[in-house]
Amino acid sequence: MKKILKKISETSIKQGEFSFTTEQTETKWLGNQPATSAEIQEAEIRLGVTLPADYKEFLLITNGFTTPNENVIHRFPR
């Protein structure tokens, strides 16, 4: 999954169709700081659900991701 997100980041930045921060352009990464396992577990307890394994994997890679259409996939509050 990280390879796919990295490829999305690199391709989107290279195309230059949207505005990205200097940090995003330099790092070629559109993701946020990863969530911790503890944060994920706290969210599951707070929400009373078990999150799907693939979504937990996503959160451990990046706790939110700027999409090429300039929207952000929501992340857990810190």
Side-chain angles (χ1 to χ4, degrees), residues 7 10 21 29 31 33 38 40 44 48-49 59 64 68 70 72-73 77:
K7 186 67 173 175
E10 291 170 349
T21 67
W29 178 244
Q33 278 285 96
I40 294 169
E44 289 178 317
V49 299
L59 295 170
E70 298 187 27
V72 176
I73 295 173

Side-chain angles (χ1 to χ4, degrees), residues 53-71:
D54 57 345
Y55 186 56
K56 290 181 196 182
E57 179 187 0
F58 170 81
L59 295 170
L60 290 168
I61 294 168
T62 181
N63 189 4
F65 192 81
T66 303
T67 59
N69 66 0
E70 298 187 27
N71 293 317

Side-chain angles (χ1 to χ4, degrees), residues 41-56:
Q41 186 177 25
E42 288 168 12
E44 289 178 317
I45 291 167
R46 185 177 65 246
L47 298 170
V49 299
T50 300
L51 297 171
D54 57 345
Y55 186 56
K56 290 181 196 182

